[in-house]
Amino acid sequence: METFTPPRPMIASPGFAREREAALADLASVIRNGEIDPPLMPLVRAFAGVPSCYTIQSCYGHFVHSGQPDTHNTKRLPADAPPYRKVVYRIAYMAFCIEESRRGHLLCQDLRAIARLDPDYIQFGSADWFWERTANTYAIQVSPARFLTEDSCSIHMDEAFILQEVRDLLFSELMRLARNHTSQGR
């Protein structure tokens, strides 16, 4: 997200329930059209059960290199890749619209806590172009901090392996968070 910024304060959004309902209705079409990276399908479905948010957009995080030129691949990096080889990393992220409510504030708090697990590679914030369309939109992403405002970056393979592990951690923590916020009715 080229306009990634620190998280904005939540504001009143009286249309949240209607917008969430419309987003969930559109989700079946988005899934049918293959617009969600397959590894993220369980996570997107899990967040559909969280009443204080809805997902807006996501990306699994793609590693593009000479051995894998497909910009949408979801394959893991080859274990035998030389560490000096360059990789183009297309950032992993999930963007949400979060309800301005007690439950929404708790969700934001938990997303911030995930970002604190590895601040060098996980960021939580707002993206201006999402916010301009819908208030209270936030994104959590995996990116080297020095590239946090970019959609993609060129890095060495050794750092790509780190990002792959951090990406896995992020999505695992997000699944835990979705289940927690669904099951406890937070």
Side-chain angles (χ1 to χ4, degrees), residues 30-177:
V30 169
I31 290 170
R32 198 173 32 258
N33 292 335
E35 296 174 33
I36 298 172
D37 290 333
L40 292 180
M41 291 300 305
L43 189 55
V44 170
R45 285 188 173 116
F47 270 104
V50 176
S52 59
C53 76
Y54 58 91
T55 57
I56 295 177
Q57 201 171 52
S58 61
C59 181
Y60 183 61
H62 308 284
F63 298 98
V64 182
H65 51 88
S66 60
Q68 183 52 264
D70 179 4
T71 60
H72 297 287
N73 83 80
T74 57
K75 295 180 181 171
R76 296 190 67 76
L77 292 165
D80 60 348
Y84 55 82
R85 179 186 284 175
K86 285 287 201 172
V87 174
V88 172
Y89 170 63
R90 298 180 65 218
I91 69 166
Y93 70 92
M94 288 200 77
F96 305 91
C97 180
I98 300 177
E99 179 182 33
E100 199 285 316
S101 66
R102 181 185 154 282
R103 291 187 303 192
H105 284 280
L106 289 171
L107 177 60
C108 264
Q109 182 179 356
D110 288 347
L111 288 166
R112 288 175 201 264
I114 291 173
R116 286 191 299 271
L117 292 174
D118 193 338
D120 292 335
Y121 291 105
I122 302 175
Q123 301 87 33
F124 174 70
S126 296
D128 291 345
W129 72 280
F130 285 140
W131 197 281
E132 289 166 5
R133 295 185 325 197
T134 307
N136 302 331
T137 55
Y138 300 91
I140 190 161
Q141 68 181 26
V142 173
S143 175
R146 66 190 183 278
F147 296 116
L148 72 87
T149 62
E150 305 297 324
D151 289 336
S152 63
C153 57
S154 181
I155 56 174
H156 284 105
M157 187 65 78
D158 55 347
E159 188 170 31
F161 280 113
I162 294 169
L163 287 170
Q164 180 173 256
E165 294 306 313
V166 174
R167 176 194 68 191
D168 294 351
L169 170 67
L170 171 68
F171 291 138
S172 173
E173 288 295 311
L174 285 175
M175 182 59 85
R176 182 189 57 75
L177 186 129

